[in-house]
C-alpha cells in the first residue's frame, strides 16, 4: 500500500517497471529493470530500485515475449515473485519520501 503523493496529495499511485539496461553475449541476452512508484495524477516518481542482471526467461515484468500480452503493473506486482522484492522496496522508498 502506498501513501498519498506528498506533492499533490493524490491517493493513488502505481508501481512501474522500465527496462533499464541490457547486454548481449554470444550465448545470452541479459536485462536489468528499474522499478519505481509514480503518482497517477501529477506523475511524481519515487526513488528507483534496479534489479540485478537476469535472463529474459528468469522474469520479464512486461511479459511481452512469453505471454503475448502486456499485463497491468498491478498484475506484475501480484503475480511475479521475481519482481516482488523490488516492488516492495520501491513502495518503501515512496512511503519514506525518498526521491530522485
Amino acid at each position: 500500500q502506498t501513501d498519498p503523493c506528498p506533492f499533490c496529495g493524490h491517493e493513488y499511485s502505481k508501481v512501474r517497471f522500465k527496462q533499464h539496461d541490457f547486454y548481449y553475449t554470444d550465448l545470452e541476452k541479459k536485462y536489468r529493470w528499474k522499478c519505481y512508484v509514480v503518482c497517477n495524477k501529477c506523475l511524481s516518481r519515487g526513488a528507483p530500485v534496479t534489479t540485478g542482471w537476469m535472463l529474459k526467461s528468469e522474469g520479464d515484468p512486461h511479459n511481452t515475449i512469453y505471454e503475448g500480452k502486456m499485463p497491468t503493473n498491478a498484475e506484475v506486482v501480484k503475480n511475479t515473485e521475481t519482481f516482488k522484492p523490488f516492488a516492495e522496496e520501491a513502495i518503501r522508498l515512496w512511503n519514506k519520501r525518498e526521491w530522485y
Side-chain angles (χ1 to χ4, degrees):
Q1 181 77 15
T2 59
D3 290 345
C5 178
F7 298 107
C8 71
H10 192 67
E11 293 188 26
Y12 299 103
S13 57
K14 57 187 160 191
V15 176
R16 304 285 288 180
F17 288 91
K18 181 177 182 181
Q19 185 177 314
H20 174 65
D21 210 355
F22 67 92
Y23 77 86
Y24 293 95
T25 67
D26 290 339
L27 302 174
E28 62 190 7
K29 182 177 181 180
K30 289 195 173 185
Y31 295 85
R32 283 194 300 193
W33 303 90
K34 188 185 293 185
C35 174
Y36 54 90
V37 175
V38 62
C39 173
N40 285 352
K41 184 175 181 183
C42 72
L43 304 180
S44 296
R45 290 188 281 176
V49 177
T50 304
T51 69
W53 291 105
M54 58 182 71
L55 294 170
K56 189 81 164 179
S57 60
E58 289 181 79
D60 177 357
H62 300 297
N63 291 320
T64 53
I65 291 176
Y66 299 102
E67 297 296 325
K69 66 176 189 137
M70 187 177 295
T72 66
N73 280 298
E75 290 173 328
V76 170
V77 173
K78 183 178 177 185
N79 297 324
T80 308
E81 288 299 316
T82 304
F83 291 92
K84 187 175 180 179
F86 304 106
E88 289 172 348
E89 178 64 9
I91 291 169
R92 187 189 70 76
L93 293 173
W94 172 267
N95 291 342
K96 282 183 63 179
R97 305 300 191 241
E98 293 186 24
W99 311 98
Y100 81 104

